Amino acid sequence: EQVIFQVVEQDPEFPGGVEALYKFIQSNIKYPQLAKENNITGRVFVTFVVEKDGSVTNVRVLRDIGGGCGQEAVRIVKAMPKWTPGKQRGKAVRVQYNLPVNFSLR
């Protein structure tokens, strides 16, 4: 089990960058029925590790808003394609990454 970095010289990156990341989330998110019925909106904070090979592991909810939103945020993160791994001194390393997932009813 290697060290998991919090801060690195080069952050891990979703393929296509931050805009592509939010586009991916928007197009894949399924608003939980319970959250819709109870008018639950807000931000779920998810943390995960971007491995040396770019895969996403150890997905956990840091802050949930209820109504199934936390589970949905975890599902979305687990469905992500491989990332470009973070680097430290030119080598790929494991990096802890925190991601807010917005839930808003339109």
Side-chain angles (χ1 to χ4, degrees), residues 75-97:
R75 187 192 69 78
I76 287 282
V77 170
K78 286 183 173 175
M80 286 179 180
K82 284 194 172 186
W83 287 48
T84 303
K87 289 188 174 165
Q88 189 69 16
R89 294 193 196 94
K91 287 171 70 178
V93 291
R94 302 175 77 210
V95 182
Q96 188 82 41
Y97 198 92

Side-chain angles (χ1 to χ4, degrees), residues 1 4 24-25 44-51 54-63 69-81 83 94-101:
E1 190 76 1
I4 298 173
F24 174 86
I25 292 170
V44 172
F45 288 88
V46 183
T47 186
F48 54 91
V49 174
V50 177
E51 297 291 343
S55 60
V56 172
T57 61
N58 299 2
V59 184
R60 293 191 332 270
V61 174
L62 292 177
R63 198 176 92 212
C69 293
Q71 292 94 315
E72 178 59 12
V74 166
R75 187 192 69 78
I76 287 282
V77 170
K78 286 183 173 175
M80 286 179 180
W83 287 48
R94 302 175 77 210
V95 182
Q96 188 82 41
Y97 198 92
N98 295 337
L99 180 71
V101 179

